[in-house]
Amino acid sequence: MATTGLYSQHLHNKKVLYLRNTVITIVLVVLAAATLFPICYMILSAFGPNVSTAGNMRTIFPSRFTLESFKAFFHFSDYSLRWILNSFVVAAGVVVGNVIFASMAGYAFAKIRFKGSKVLFGLILVAMMIPYQVTQVPLYILMVQKFSMTNTYAAMILPGLCTAYNIFLCKQFFTGLPTPLIESAKIEGCNQFQIFTKIILPLSKTVLAVMAINTFMSSWNDFFWPFLVTNDPSMYTIQVGLKQFKFANETLFAPMMAGATISALPMFVLFFALQKYFMEGVTIGAVKG
């Protein structure tokens, strides 16, 4: 009887576990579908007929697949290709700046003792808590009115050249590196710059890759700041250029979706090519060895 009871309890637990896993799977599938639906709709609309408004496309799947919308996107403006190039230039400049300056600042805060380091790092932590939109007004006054940098790459790159979050990320990672390794290099006669370039950087490929990926994505997708500091169509980024497809009375819907698909392509490539770095970026710096 005891064996029968144990067997019945085992079957009951198995049914409960199966039911729970089924419910979790259904919830995850629904959430995934809700997340992916806008992306799928964007891509399907881009490969559909060249319609002017979303109301003309009443079905998710287009009546026919065509490249008309992509042709309309590139023919819409003489600067369509320039918009994509501008986005690459700005994103690359911001990435290079952060990889160099944020890593150097992170190393200084983590491994170099200097007066006021804790206060400065505290200010950086405070800066991380300030909403991005709050800084736009003083930045705009500084860049546009003070230095007259409207319609320049410098105006779009300099404000993001070294971010507080990337300094914090590097500092947390460098703190976990063994200090005796640095002390040994000092005994061998290396200065701080040599230690940083020959020892620290080769050990920090993971954090630098994560920082570069996240920074590129953030800069590539940025709309608000490039929109503020540019009014010349030849200097628009792809995100600002897409706004030109919306008019007072109508929206060039399909060409805009084609442009959005083109602008999302680098993100897809980055994610699938460097997926392991995305996963590492979730926990990097969280645990100090």
Side-chain angles (χ1 to χ4, degrees):
M1 294 294 293
T3 305
T4 305
L6 289 173
Y7 181 71
S8 299
Q9 184 65 30
H10 174 70
L11 286 178
H12 175 72
N13 292 339
K14 216 173 168 186
K15 289 179 181 178
V16 171
L17 182 62
Y18 177 77
L19 180 62
R20 187 190 67 177
N21 291 341
T22 302
V23 171
I24 292 174
T25 301
I26 292 173
V27 171
L28 291 176
V29 168
V30 171
L31 291 176
T35 303
L36 292 174
F37 176 76
I39 299 174
C40 295
Y41 184 66
M42 174 188 72
I43 295 174
L44 291 173
S45 301
F47 284 96
N50 183 13
V51 296
S52 24
T53 59
N56 295 335
M57 194 173 184
R58 296 182 176 86
T59 60
I60 298 175
F61 294 95
S63 57
R64 59 189 176 88
F65 287 90
T66 175
L67 297 177
E68 291 177 1
S69 301
F70 290 93
K71 293 178 182 177
F73 168 77
F74 287 109
H75 290 153
F76 173 78
S77 171
D78 295 334
Y79 304 111
S80 296
L81 284 173
R82 179 69 183 267
W83 296 343
I84 300 173
L85 176 63
N86 290 342
S87 291
F88 272 112
V89 170
V90 173
V94 172
V95 167
V96 171
N98 275 274
V99 168
I100 295 174
F101 299 117
S103 61
M104 293 175 70
Y107 170 70
F109 282 119
K111 296 300 182 182
I112 301 177
R113 294 182 180 179
F114 59 93
K115 191 174 181 179
S117 61
K118 292 183 179 180
V119 175
L120 286 175
F121 189 67
L123 291 175
I124 289 175
L125 294 180
V126 171
M128 289 175 58
M129 304 174 192
I130 300 175
Y132 172 74
Q133 292 78 7
V134 174
T135 62
Q136 300 308 291
V137 174
L139 271 177
Y140 179 82
I141 294 173
L142 184 66
M143 290 291 175
V144 176
Q145 298 183 6
K146 186 71 174 177
F147 295 113
S148 301
M149 288 187 176
T150 309
N151 297 316
T152 62
Y153 288 125
M156 292 185 278
I157 293 174
L158 288 178
L161 204 59
C162 184
T163 64
Y165 173 76
N166 285 334
I167 294 175
F168 171 77
L169 186 70
C170 290
K171 191 265 184 185
Q172 292 299 101
F173 181 84
F174 293 150
T175 300
L177 295 180
T179 302
L181 184 65
I182 298 174
E183 297 298 330
S184 300
K186 289 181 180 178
I187 294 174
E188 293 296 327
C190 294
N191 57 38
Q192 290 291 357
F193 183 75
Q194 290 173 324
I195 293 172
F196 177 71
T197 55
K198 296 181 179 180
I199 297 175
I200 300 299
L201 288 184
L203 295 174
S204 310
K205 292 179 181 178
T206 300
V207 69
L208 295 179
V210 170
M211 182 171 61
I213 293 167
N214 291 337
T215 303
F216 182 88
M217 290 180 61
S218 175
S219 179
W220 179 271
N221 291 322
D222 190 20
F223 166 80
F224 191 62
W225 180 247
F227 176 68
L228 282 180
V229 296
T230 57
N231 52 36
D232 182 357
S234 65
M235 290 302 298
Y236 289 163
T237 61
I238 182 65
Q239 309 300 340
V240 179
L242 290 176
K243 187 181 180 297
Q244 308 308 305
F245 290 87
K246 184 176 178 60
F247 304 99
N249 298 320
E250 71 169 349
T251 299
L252 301 180
F253 179 72
M256 185 169 64
M257 290 298 103
T261 301
I262 293 172
S263 74
L265 190 59
M267 302 300 100
F268 294 148
V269 173
L270 273 178
F271 179 79
F272 289 110
L274 305 171
Q275 189 173 3
K276 74 170 186 176
Y277 291 110
F278 278 97
M279 299 302 103
E280 291 176 1
V282 177
T283 57
I284 195 168
V287 179
K288 293 189 285 186

